[in-house]
Amino acid sequence: MTTGPTGSTGTGRAGDRAARKPHLAVVGATGAVGSVLLGILSERADIWGEVRLIAAPSPQLRSSRGDSRSAGRKLTVRGEEVEVLALTEDVFDGIDIAMFDVPDEVSAQWAPIAAAKGAVVVDNSAAFRMDPDVPLVVPEVNAHAARVRPRGIIANPNCTTLSMIVALGALHAEYGLSELIVSSYQAVSGAGKDGVDTLRSQLAAVSGTELGTSPGDVRRAMGDTLGPFPAPVALNVVPWAGSPKEDGWSSEELKVRDESRKILGLSDLRVSATCVRVPVITTHSLTVHARFENEVTVAGAHEILASAPGVVVCDDPEQGEYPTPADVVGTDPTWVGRVRRSLDDPRALELFVCGDNLRKGAALNTVQIAEVVAGEMTV
């Protein structure tokens, strides 16, 4: 019989799980999403046994993620101080579920190692999202998919997809989705701490000035403070998010297409996305043109969305009521407003959605998937 770092036995896993709460590992616990994740674990029902906090393995990782220099720090989770461990194979001994929030290349290397140790991995990177042997799960939409995981890994979708897919999944179940045309308005925190720091420094630079009144004046004032963005974000919008792909598309735009298809089980769904970076700290927004197989009504859509788990309807434009990032930030649901039937197509709806990209867009959905898996282990 082998014993893990905290004394849990490494044999008889099924019987051990039935007798205790599942043990959880959080890989990348010191990053921006990791800190939100720890807060969410402290807010929700305490279904966990040990919660083991693990840093990412290299000081060369992006600034928004944890790294091995964080090992030895103590973080608070569920009211207790827990020491952060370095990432090694041994840290997964006795772990039932491992949540990963690290860069793609780190997940690609370490998630299979954790799975081989017997943990079910819930991965927040893009490393496995389109792997046919890895389910891509949004619990409100396709929780059943989490049960079939040949590689022992479950993928968490991209934050842009997650900002809209809960609402669209509810509408699809009733009307049958056939086409999506979306434009995203993405917060700078989607680019990590560097994105947030860049926007704040740019806002300080333009505050109290007359910038934004002549061609190129904002860009000249920013100098070399563009950070991870190809153009100034302050006093501006940037029609680009992600990395370049074929035919002028960005990686973020293709993720919206590919992930929506996989989550909804619609391999031929027509999807077109344009992703735009805006001067917002946290919370992505999207305009959505959704066409369905059946005729739609605004009243019917309101009823479906109002009763859908994880969705809040805020839709009374005459009273100035519709979701905005400044009002939605820090909340868990997908917020939906500006619901209209298309003027030229009785089978199409126009809507505006907002979702906190660090909560439901990353940490919360990861926790929800882990809770689904934990439910299997404790039945």
Side-chain angles (χ1 to χ4, degrees):
M1 179 182 296
T2 59
T3 302
T6 58
S8 56
T9 59
T11 62
R13 294 291 292 273
D16 185 38
R17 286 168 176 163
R20 59 165 172 77
K21 294 179 179 179
H23 294 332
L24 177 70
V26 180
V27 184
T30 61
V33 173
S35 63
V36 175
L37 196 154
L38 297 187
I40 289 172
L41 287 174
S42 300
E43 296 164 6
R44 294 173 72 83
D46 184 9
I47 65 168
W48 304 106
E50 179 189 359
V51 176
R52 198 173 298 171
L53 306 184
I54 303 167
S58 168
Q60 281 72 47
L61 297 179
R62 358 178 158 168
S63 58
S64 64
R65 311 289 181 136
D67 61 48
S68 59
R69 294 173 298 181
S70 300
R73 286 179 55 189
K74 290 188 176 181
L75 299 176
T76 300
V77 58
R78 301 183 304 175
E80 298 180 4
E81 282 197 341
V82 179
E83 183 175 340
V84 178
L85 307 175
L87 179 54
T88 66
E89 292 189 21
D90 291 345
V91 297
F92 298 108
D93 289 343
I95 292 296
D96 301 305
I97 301 172
M99 299 192 294
F100 275 65
D101 181 64
V102 293
D104 298 356
E105 63 273 16
V106 179
S107 284
Q109 176 184 355
W110 285 93
I113 293 172
K117 285 278 192 172
V120 176
V121 173
V122 183
D123 181 46
N124 192 36
S125 81
F128 302 98
R129 287 175 185 155
M130 302 316 298
D131 187 321
D133 290 328
V134 175
L136 185 65
V137 175
V138 180
E140 296 93 337
V141 180
N142 66 337
H144 62 278
R147 291 183 173 274
V148 183
R149 41 182 191 266
R151 298 189 62 181
I153 301 170
I154 302 169
N156 196 49
N158 185 45
C159 54
T160 312
T161 305
L162 276 166
S163 295
M164 68 173 187
I165 202 68
V166 176
L168 290 174
L171 293 169
H172 166 62
E174 179 67 23
Y175 295 125
L177 188 63
S178 63
E179 183 178 18
L180 278 177
I181 301 173
V182 303
S183 292
S184 71
Y185 309 93
Q186 296 183 214
V188 296
S189 58
K193 184 178 183 296
D194 191 19
V196 174
D197 291 345
T198 296
L199 176 57
R200 292 197 184 280
S201 67
Q202 291 182 359
L203 290 174
V206 302
S207 177
T209 73
E210 297 297 320
L211 291 170
T213 58
S214 63
D217 62 350
V218 175
R219 185 183 290 270
R220 287 190 296 272
M222 294 303 103
D224 59 357
T225 62
L226 296 182
F229 309 118
V233 181
L235 304 183
N236 204 17
V237 297
V238 182
W240 186 262
S243 57
K245 298 297 179 181
E246 291 184 4
D247 299 323
W249 294 97
S250 78
S251 58
E252 286 284 303
E253 292 159 351
L254 296 183
K255 287 175 186 178
V256 171
R257 177 177 184 261
D258 296 340
E259 293 175 12
S260 296
R261 288 177 162 189
K262 186 171 181 179
I263 294 163
L264 298 174
L266 299 171
S267 60
D268 296 325
L269 179 66
R270 297 188 297 274
V271 182
S272 180
T274 299
C275 291
V276 181
R277 194 72 71 178
V278 297
V280 169
I281 298 295
T282 297
T283 296
H284 291 348
S285 306
L286 298 95
T287 56
V288 179
H289 170 87
R291 193 173 193 277
F292 300 90
E293 299 291 346
N294 301 299
E295 190 167 331
V296 297
T297 66
V298 171
H302 275 166
E303 183 177 356
I304 292 164
L305 294 169
S307 61
V311 178
V312 172
V313 177
C314 178
D315 193 14
D316 189 353
E318 292 185 1
Q319 299 299 317
E321 293 183 2
Y322 28 71
T324 73
D327 298 317
V328 168
V329 64
T331 67
D332 290 340
T334 296
W335 292 70
V336 183
R338 299 299 320 281
V339 181
R340 294 146 287 152
R341 190 163 81 162
S342 177
L343 292 173
D344 302 311
D345 188 347
R347 295 184 179 184
L349 286 172
E350 318 296 333
L351 41 142
F352 184 77
V353 300
C354 290
D356 186 311
N357 54 293
L358 298 182
R359 291 187 71 86
K360 182 57 177 175
L364 175 61
N365 201 71
T366 303
V367 172
Q368 288 174 307
I369 295 171
E371 290 174 347
V372 170
V373 178
E376 298 176 19
M377 295 177 176
T378 54
V379 169

